Amino acid sequence: MGSTPASRLLSRERLAGWVPHFTDLAQHSPSFSTLTATVQTLQEALSSGHLRSTQLVEEYQRSICLHNKWLGAVYQLAPGAMDRASEMDALRQDGTILGALHGIPILVKGNIATSEALSMETTAGAVALIGSRPNGAPIIDKLLEAGAIVFGKTTLSELGYYKGNNIRCAWSAAAGQAQSAYVHGGLDRNDSIGGHSNPLGSSSGSCIAISAGLAPIALGTETIGSLITPAIRASVYTIKPTHGLVNQANIVPITARYDTAGPISKTAKDIADLLDILVDHSKTSVPDGGYASAMVSDWTDIKVGTLDPEKWRLPDAFVKPVPEATKQILHDTKVAYAKIKSLAKSFHDNVPLHPLSDFEYDGKDAAQALMSADLKDNMDNYLGSLKEGKVKSLQELVDWNFAHAEEALTEGEYIEYPNQELLEQGLTFGDSVETREKLTAHSKAVAEHFDEMIEKYDIDVIIAPGDCMLSEYAAAGGFPIGTLPMSYLDFNGRPAGLLVAAQQHKDSTLIKVMSAWEATFNPRKEPTEFLKHTTTA
């Protein structure tokens, strides 16, 4: 008999490694609502003495034990989280506050390396990386220095959704399939790989976890769309910061030219505070009072341009068309545009940003072709730096997957997605250095049109439909992009939203827009569907 896939070896709660044990899950009365709590409200409770960090950790661990079997959002918990919480409580008692996240539990995406002291895996969803020993990511050190409690790792689309073709978002060989906290009935197995029942990715687990109250705040990463798209589907806020502002060392990569870690939370304030910690302040201009000082309560000082929602949308091959969903998203987007127009300092609709087809060069999407071109060097650098691991290069990873297909490619009894075509393409990318340079030049030239539109129409931001790939422009141009939770589809409960992008180093402008949105639009709704599916016995 062949090996059993790693996702079938997880605990009842779908967790790897250590699992907390609670005998009263069904009877327990929570000390606060994990579903509605934010970093800001939790800090207020901690400061007033109404809550302790040990209580926060326990309640989030309980929520994960109750709901993760259904959601599949969390991969592993840190066994030392309660000890860390006790340390932060003691410091607070003595009057020492390390930073904005002092005593706050945070989840981090499973491709962000953590030190051995935290006793968690860094697999990026790949079975071959189980048991590897990476060097810790500097951004984790920043979180710890700010007092955060890194208490778990989230699931993700395997290897940042860059393993193979036609693989459903939010799936990995290590953890299986994650699903939305909102969608009625959960994932539709007959849906397309990015259809309306899918949570999208690759930062799937981090976004699902925040929406379902499994943590108040989380870290994700993005190459092209990996923060933005799942955040829209989870009705949460995120920002992919200006490229180069966040240290990407010791994060399982795709390409250093696009990869960026970013914050995920339920409020603009929490996003701003985590952004303060993540960003290298020597590389940009952070507002004197931190990013939160950019927050406003209205649109009177914001100049907005929008993209045509009838033209800017995800392809039907990726998102299976549902007429009533298409109609509602279009309607809700136009209603939101109209309200912004009535509130903003200035407004220009249907900004003529060049279509994504302009990225095509010599039969290839230049921006995406560069991901394949860069993959081998970037993966070799990361895997080669491991202190211990089954694979030390992209070639070894591909070979290991083929040699352990029943685990890594889920063949045999558990046929799901038996291919790793994108990894193989990274090995065989045969274009010359000259061709790569031409792809890079073309990609950058197209992305520059974004800046041209901002300047031509004298606008601060471009707002676009949530279901479009403006994130490809953001990747190619290195500029920041974020999300605005908007509405919920009548036909299956899936959240819809808008994207907002600004020029490089204008990250604070996105915080400004997010806060104006919060102040003037309906508050985001908490999910209820996942509450029907709990694990208590």
Side-chain angles (χ1 to χ4, degrees), residues 263-294:
I264 303 163
S265 193
K266 294 191 284 283
T267 68
K269 174 67 164 60
D270 290 353
I271 293 292
D273 288 344
L274 183 48
L275 201 60
D276 278 337
I277 295 167
L278 297 177
V279 163
D280 183 339
H281 290 222
S282 70
K283 294 184 176 181
T284 191
S285 178
V286 177
D288 289 341
Y291 284 107
S293 66

mmCIF file of all heavy atoms in Angstrom, residues 263-294:
data_model
loop_
_atom_site.group_PDB
_atom_site.id
_atom_site.type_symbol
_atom_site.label_atom_id
_atom_site.label_comp_id
_atom_site.label_asym_id
_atom_site.label_seq_id
_atom_site.Cartn_x
_atom_site.Cartn_y
_atom_site.Cartn_z
ATOM 1 N N PRO A 263 -0.135 42.875 5.816
ATOM 2 C CA PRO A 263 -1.050 42.665 6.940
ATOM 3 C C PRO A 263 -2.469 42.340 6.490
ATOM 4 O O PRO A 263 -2.916 42.763 5.417
ATOM 5 C CB PRO A 263 -1.013 44.021 7.651
ATOM 6 C CG PRO A 263 -0.813 45.010 6.522
ATOM 7 C CD PRO A 263 0.066 44.311 5.520
ATOM 8 N N ILE A 264 -3.181 41.608 7.340
ATOM 9 C CA ILE A 264 -4.591 41.270 7.101
ATOM 10 C C ILE A 264 -5.344 41.475 8.405
ATOM 11 O O ILE A 264 -4.931 40.967 9.452
ATOM 12 C CB ILE A 264 -4.756 39.798 6.648
ATOM 13 C CG1 ILE A 264 -3.925 39.512 5.398
ATOM 14 C CG2 ILE A 264 -6.221 39.463 6.404
ATOM 15 C CD1 ILE A 264 -3.702 38.024 5.137
ATOM 16 N N SER A 265 -6.459 42.214 8.358
ATOM 17 C CA SER A 265 -7.256 42.422 9.565
ATOM 18 C C SER A 265 -8.650 42.904 9.191
ATOM 19 O O SER A 265 -8.978 43.046 8.011
ATOM 20 C CB SER A 265 -6.566 43.417 10.500
ATOM 21 O OG SER A 265 -7.172 43.393 11.774
ATOM 22 N N LYS A 266 -9.449 43.183 10.236
ATOM 23 C CA LYS A 266 -10.832 43.589 10.015
ATOM 24 C C LYS A 266 -11.016 45.100 9.996
ATOM 25 O O LYS A 266 -12.120 45.578 9.722
ATOM 26 C CB LYS A 266 -11.736 42.973 11.096
ATOM 27 C CG LYS A 266 -11.837 41.459 11.026
ATOM 28 C CD LYS A 266 -12.931 40.918 11.927
ATOM 29 C CE LYS A 266 -12.548 40.910 13.373
ATOM 30 N NZ LYS A 266 -11.637 39.785 13.711
ATOM 31 N N THR A 267 -9.952 45.865 10.299
ATOM 32 C CA THR A 267 -10.080 47.322 10.341
ATOM 33 C C THR A 267 -8.860 48.001 9.740
ATOM 34 O O THR A 267 -7.753 47.446 9.731
ATOM 35 C CB THR A 267 -10.239 47.848 11.789
ATOM 36 O OG1 THR A 267 -9.012 47.639 12.485
ATOM 37 C CG2 THR A 267 -11.376 47.147 12.516
ATOM 38 N N ALA A 268 -9.066 49.220 9.288
ATOM 39 C CA ALA A 268 -7.957 50.016 8.747
ATOM 40 C C ALA A 268 -6.928 50.329 9.823
ATOM 41 O O ALA A 268 -5.721 50.344 9.557
ATOM 42 C CB ALA A 268 -8.507 51.317 8.151
ATOM 43 N N LYS A 269 -7.381 50.571 11.041
ATOM 44 C CA LYS A 269 -6.456 50.894 12.140
ATOM 45 C C LYS A 269 -5.491 49.739 12.403
ATOM 46 O O LYS A 269 -4.275 49.942 12.560
ATOM 47 C CB LYS A 269 -7.259 51.202 13.401
ATOM 48 C CG LYS A 269 -6.409 51.425 14.671
ATOM 49 C CD LYS A 269 -5.573 52.683 14.587
ATOM 50 C CE LYS A 269 -5.048 53.135 15.940
ATOM 51 N NZ LYS A 269 -4.191 52.162 16.639
ATOM 52 N N ASP A 270 -6.018 48.537 12.432
ATOM 53 C CA ASP A 270 -5.151 47.376 12.678
ATOM 54 C C ASP A 270 -4.167 47.172 11.535
ATOM 55 O O ASP A 270 -3.010 46.803 11.755
ATOM 56 C CB ASP A 270 -5.995 46.116 12.872
ATOM 57 C CG ASP A 270 -6.773 46.129 14.180
ATOM 58 O OD1 ASP A 270 -6.560 47.057 14.990
ATOM 59 O OD2 ASP A 270 -7.594 45.214 14.386
ATOM 60 N N ILE A 271 -4.617 47.405 10.304
ATOM 61 C CA ILE A 271 -3.713 47.309 9.151
ATOM 62 C C ILE A 271 -2.594 48.331 9.288
ATOM 63 O O ILE A 271 -1.411 48.024 9.078
ATOM 64 C CB ILE A 271 -4.486 47.547 7.835
ATOM 65 C CG1 ILE A 271 -5.487 46.410 7.577
ATOM 66 C CG2 ILE A 271 -3.521 47.686 6.657
ATOM 67 C CD1 ILE A 271 -4.865 45.068 7.265
ATOM 68 N N ALA A 272 -2.942 49.544 9.660
ATOM 69 C CA ALA A 272 -1.947 50.610 9.797
ATOM 70 C C ALA A 272 -0.906 50.270 10.853
ATOM 71 O O ALA A 272 0.304 50.457 10.646
ATOM 72 C CB ALA A 272 -2.642 51.927 10.137
ATOM 73 N N ASP A 273 -1.361 49.758 11.998
ATOM 74 C CA ASP A 273 -0.434 49.458 13.090
ATOM 75 C C ASP A 273 0.516 48.320 12.726
ATOM 76 O O ASP A 273 1.707 48.363 13.072
ATOM 77 C CB ASP A 273 -1.209 49.123 14.360
ATOM 78 C CG ASP A 273 -1.867 50.348 14.987
ATOM 79 O OD1 ASP A 273 -1.479 51.479 14.632
ATOM 80 O OD2 ASP A 273 -2.782 50.172 15.815
ATOM 81 N N LEU A 274 0.023 47.309 12.040
ATOM 82 C CA LEU A 274 0.906 46.211 11.635
ATOM 83 C C LEU A 274 1.846 46.661 10.520
ATOM 84 O O LEU A 274 3.012 46.253 10.472
ATOM 85 C CB LEU A 274 0.078 44.998 11.196
ATOM 86 C CG LEU A 274 0.868 43.733 10.817
ATOM 87 C CD1 LEU A 274 1.926 43.386 11.843
ATOM 88 C CD2 LEU A 274 -0.084 42.559 10.611
ATOM 89 N N LEU A 275 1.363 47.527 9.648
ATOM 90 C CA LEU A 275 2.217 48.055 8.585
ATOM 91 C C LEU A 275 3.391 48.839 9.178
ATOM 92 O O LEU A 275 4.523 48.751 8.683
ATOM 93 C CB LEU A 275 1.387 48.948 7.657
ATOM 94 C CG LEU A 275 1.929 49.201 6.244
ATOM 95 C CD1 LEU A 275 2.077 47.899 5.479
ATOM 96 C CD2 LEU A 275 0.998 50.150 5.499
ATOM 97 N N ASP A 276 3.131 49.577 10.253
ATOM 98 C CA ASP A 276 4.210 50.303 10.937
ATOM 99 C C ASP A 276 5.339 49.366 11.345
ATOM 100 O O ASP A 276 6.518 49.722 11.275
ATOM 101 C CB ASP A 276 3.669 50.982 12.202
ATOM 102 C CG ASP A 276 2.989 52.305 11.921
ATOM 103 O OD1 ASP A 276 3.280 52.921 10.883
ATOM 104 O OD2 ASP A 276 2.163 52.721 12.748
ATOM 105 N N ILE A 277 4.978 48.171 11.783
ATOM 106 C CA ILE A 277 5.968 47.207 12.261
ATOM 107 C C ILE A 277 6.703 46.550 11.101
ATOM 108 O O ILE A 277 7.924 46.357 11.148
ATOM 109 C CB ILE A 277 5.271 46.131 13.127
ATOM 110 C CG1 ILE A 277 4.693 46.779 14.390
ATOM 111 C CG2 ILE A 277 6.229 44.997 13.482
ATOM 112 C CD1 ILE A 277 3.730 45.888 15.152
ATOM 113 N N LEU A 278 5.981 46.222 10.042
ATOM 114 C CA LEU A 278 6.564 45.471 8.931
ATOM 115 C C LEU A 278 7.505 46.296 8.070
ATOM 116 O O LEU A 278 8.535 45.801 7.599
ATOM 117 C CB LEU A 278 5.446 44.918 8.042
ATOM 118 C CG LEU A 278 4.484 43.906 8.656
ATOM 119 C CD1 LEU A 278 3.401 43.539 7.642
ATOM 120 C CD2 LEU A 278 5.222 42.663 9.116
ATOM 121 N N VAL A 279 7.164 47.547 7.842
ATOM 122 C CA VAL A 279 7.875 48.375 6.870
ATOM 123 C C VAL A 279 9.211 48.858 7.426
ATOM 124 O O VAL A 279 9.333 49.219 8.605
ATOM 125 C CB VAL A 279 6.993 49.581 6.472
ATOM 126 C CG1 VAL A 279 7.801 50.679 5.814
ATOM 127 C CG2 VAL A 279 5.870 49.117 5.546
ATOM 128 N N ASP A 280 10.223 48.866 6.565
ATOM 129 C CA ASP A 280 11.521 49.459 6.899
ATOM 130 C C ASP A 280 11.396 50.973 6.734
ATOM 131 O O ASP A 280 11.326 51.483 5.614
ATOM 132 C CB ASP A 280 12.593 48.898 5.956
ATOM 133 C CG ASP A 280 13.998 49.407 6.292
ATOM 134 O OD1 ASP A 280 14.111 50.450 6.960
ATOM 135 O OD2 ASP A 280 14.974 48.769 5.859
ATOM 136 N N HIS A 281 11.358 51.687 7.842
ATOM 137 C CA HIS A 281 11.097 53.131 7.810
ATOM 138 C C HIS A 281 12.215 53.905 7.121
ATOM 139 O O HIS A 281 12.003 55.057 6.715
ATOM 140 C CB HIS A 281 10.882 53.655 9.228
ATOM 141 C CG HIS A 281 9.603 53.197 9.845
ATOM 142 N ND1 HIS A 281 8.780 54.016 10.584
ATOM 143 C CD2 HIS A 281 8.985 51.988 9.824
ATOM 144 C CE1 HIS A 281 7.720 53.346 10.993
ATOM 145 N NE2 HIS A 281 7.824 52.103 10.552
ATOM 146 N N SER A 282 13.380 53.296 6.957
ATOM 147 C CA SER A 282 14.489 53.988 6.293
ATOM 148 C C SER A 282 14.335 53.985 4.775
ATOM 149 O O SER A 282 15.045 54.698 4.073
ATOM 150 C CB SER A 282 15.821 53.342 6.668
ATOM 151 O OG SER A 282 15.953 52.044 6.086
ATOM 152 N N LYS A 283 13.382 53.183 4.265
ATOM 153 C CA LYS A 283 13.218 53.054 2.822
ATOM 154 C C LYS A 283 12.029 53.817 2.260
ATOM 155 O O LYS A 283 11.770 53.776 1.055
ATOM 156 C CB LYS A 283 13.087 51.570 2.446
ATOM 157 C CG LYS A 283 14.354 50.757 2.704
ATOM 158 C CD LYS A 283 14.195 49.325 2.231
ATOM 159 C CE LYS A 283 15.490 48.548 2.411
ATOM 160 N NZ LYS A 283 15.368 47.140 1.936
ATOM 161 N N THR A 284 11.303 54.505 3.120
ATOM 162 C CA THR A 284 10.120 55.221 2.652
ATOM 163 C C THR A 284 9.806 56.341 3.638
ATOM 164 O O THR A 284 10.491 56.518 4.645
ATOM 165 C CB THR A 284 8.920 54.264 2.526
ATOM 166 O OG1 THR A 284 7.858 54.927 1.824
ATOM 167 C CG2 THR A 284 8.418 53.788 3.870
ATOM 168 N N SER A 285 8.759 57.082 3.345
ATOM 169 C CA SER A 285 8.333 58.181 4.209
ATOM 170 C C SER A 285 7.067 57.758 4.951
ATOM 171 O O SER A 285 5.971 57.783 4.392
ATOM 172 C CB SER A 285 8.075 59.443 3.379
ATOM 173 O OG SER A 285 7.622 60.496 4.193
ATOM 174 N N VAL A 286 7.235 57.360 6.195
ATOM 175 C CA VAL A 286 6.103 56.989 7.040
ATOM 176 C C VAL A 286 5.607 58.240 7.753
ATOM 177 O O VAL A 286 6.418 59.036 8.238
ATOM 178 C CB VAL A 286 6.519 55.919 8.072
ATOM 179 C CG1 VAL A 286 5.359 55.571 9.002
ATOM 180 C CG2 VAL A 286 7.032 54.671 7.359
ATOM 181 N N PRO A 287 4.305 58.482 7.808
ATOM 182 C CA PRO A 287 3.794 59.671 8.503
ATOM 183 C C PRO A 287 4.337 59.767 9.923
ATOM 184 O O PRO A 287 4.600 58.752 10.580
ATOM 185 C CB PRO A 287 2.279 59.445 8.497
ATOM 186 C CG PRO A 287 2.023 58.559 7.319
ATOM 187 C CD PRO A 287 3.220 57.664 7.219
ATOM 188 N N ASP A 288 4.510 60.978 10.425
ATOM 189 C CA ASP A 288 5.107 61.206 11.744
ATOM 190 C C ASP A 288 4.419 60.417 12.851
ATOM 191 O O ASP A 288 5.068 59.914 13.754
ATOM 192 C CB ASP A 288 5.085 62.704 12.088
ATOM 193 C CG ASP A 288 6.069 63.493 11.232
ATOM 194 O OD1 ASP A 288 6.986 62.870 10.659
ATOM 195 O OD2 ASP A 288 5.916 64.726 11.143
ATOM 196 N N GLY A 289 3.127 60.308 12.772
ATOM 197 C CA GLY A 289 2.393 59.568 13.799
ATOM 198 C C GLY A 289 2.155 58.120 13.435
ATOM 199 O O GLY A 289 1.287 57.474 14.033
ATOM 200 N N GLY A 290 2.911 57.609 12.464
ATOM 201 C CA GLY A 290 2.672 56.253 11.979
ATOM 202 C C GLY A 290 1.567 56.250 10.937
ATOM 203 O O GLY A 290 0.902 57.266 10.693
ATOM 204 N N TYR A 291 1.362 55.101 10.310
ATOM 205 C CA TYR A 291 0.355 55.032 9.247
ATOM 206 C C TYR A 291 -1.054 55.350 9.743
ATOM 207 O O TYR A 291 -1.891 55.862 8.991
ATOM 208 C CB TYR A 291 0.384 53.654 8.582
ATOM 209 C CG TYR A 291 1.558 53.465 7.648
ATOM 210 C CD1 TYR A 291 2.625 52.646 7.979
ATOM 211 C CD2 TYR A 291 1.608 54.140 6.431
ATOM 212 C CE1 TYR A 291 3.716 52.488 7.123
ATOM 213 C CE2 TYR A 291 2.683 53.991 5.562
ATOM 214 C CZ TYR A 291 3.738 53.163 5.912
ATOM 215 O OH TYR A 291 4.807 53.028 5.063
ATOM 216 N N ALA A 292 -1.321 55.063 11.016
ATOM 217 C CA ALA A 292 -2.660 55.352 11.543
ATOM 218 C C ALA A 292 -2.977 56.839 11.546
ATOM 219 O O ALA A 292 -4.155 57.226 11.533
ATOM 220 C CB ALA A 292 -2.809 54.778 12.948
ATOM 221 N N SER A 293 -1.951 57.681 11.531
ATOM 222 C CA SER A 293 -2.191 59.128 11.523
ATOM 223 C C SER A 293 -2.767 59.602 10.193
ATOM 224 O O SER A 293 -3.245 60.732 10.085
ATOM 225 C CB SER A 293 -0.900 59.882 11.827
ATOM 226 O OG SER A 293 0.047 59.709 10.783
ATOM 227 N N ALA A 294 -2.742 58.730 9.186
ATOM 228 C CA ALA A 294 -3.324 59.078 7.881
ATOM 229 C C ALA A 294 -4.826 58.844 7.847
ATOM 230 O O ALA A 294 -5.491 59.211 6.868
ATOM 231 C CB ALA A 294 -2.649 58.266 6.781
#
